[in-house]
Amino acid sequence: MDAHLTRVGAEVTVSEQANRRIFRALGAGVLGTLALTASEPLRDALLGRPPPYSVRHIARRAARAWFGVRLRPREAQRWGLVMRWLYGPTLGVLGGWLRPMLPGPVHGLVLGGGVWLFEWLSFPRLRVTPPPHTWSPAERRWLAVQCLLFGLVTASVPPCEQEEGLASARPPSETALPVAPGAPLSPP
């Protein structure tokens, strides 16, 4: 049997640890993306309209700039959500690599700040948003708030090592306790 698939006692192989970290980071990215998506109705209500970096606007502009295709609003919304749900969990995995270098809240702020900087600089260059100087001050603030929300929620998922450390601190289950021969199995 392959060495990377076998277990020896309670030891976990390096590839199993890497897989756990990747799936944990992917799940963290999913939660961050869910929080970001859930914040959109509030953002749109406070702004009075979707901002230029809403998923619908990004998808519509990307399809037109890159493929010369005009998407209807429903199609643009659907494609925008597909892009977000690929992008967010991927950022969660990339953020998982930063995790060992930074403590929890700092990790969330750095991740959210990195996403904000990436989007601020790249989206206009990719022609999926107009330049940020054309956005209202409220739209600029909301982008920062949403990116930080994504980063903090993503970073709130404890890393695998922390979970394993907590699991090892638990008392052993009753089935694992040694019982002397002839002793009753349950307390009197």
Side-chain angles (χ1 to χ4, degrees):
M1 192 177 280
D2 291 335
H4 69 280
L5 295 177
T6 61
R7 288 183 187 225
V8 178
E11 293 179 23
V12 178
T13 64
V14 173
S15 65
E16 286 176 326
Q17 287 176 342
N19 287 341
R20 286 182 185 176
R21 282 190 191 117
I22 288 170
F23 283 119
R24 183 65 140 205
L26 188 66
V30 166
L31 287 177
T33 303
L34 183 61
L36 174 67
T37 303
S39 73
E40 283 186 340
L42 175 63
R43 176 202 68 197
D44 293 351
L46 291 174
L47 290 174
R49 69 194 174 293
Y53 50 81
S54 70
V55 293
R56 182 182 56 187
H57 292 316
I58 287 175
R60 183 181 294 157
R61 288 179 64 104
R64 193 169 187 188
W66 301 346
F67 306 112
V69 174
R70 290 182 186 256
L71 296 178
R72 285 178 264 151
R74 279 196 111 132
E75 293 172 323
Q77 182 71 22
R78 221 172 316 159
W79 279 108
L81 288 172
V82 167
M83 290 187 310
R84 171 180 285 158
W85 283 96
L86 293 172
Y87 174 69
T90 301
L91 286 173
V93 171
L94 293 173
W97 287 339
L98 287 175
R99 183 164 225 135
M101 297 178 261
L102 303 167
V106 173
H107 173 255
L109 293 173
V110 169
L111 178 60
V115 171
W116 172 82
L117 185 62
F118 172 75
E119 291 182 359
W120 183 267
L121 296 174
S122 70
F123 282 5
R125 291 195 194 308
L126 293 170
R127 298 179 295 159
V128 297
T129 66
H133 72 275
T134 64
W135 305 352
S136 73
E139 289 168 341
R140 290 189 288 248
R141 282 191 297 270
W142 265 104
L143 179 64
V145 165
Q146 287 189 285
C147 289
L148 289 174
L149 174 68
F150 172 82
L152 290 170
V153 170
T154 300
S156 72
V157 175
C160 287
E161 297 82 21
Q162 185 176 345
E163 185 181 86
E164 290 170 5
L166 293 174
S168 65
R170 293 185 191 130
S173 67
E174 289 185 28
T175 57
L177 294 174
V179 178
L185 295 177
S186 60

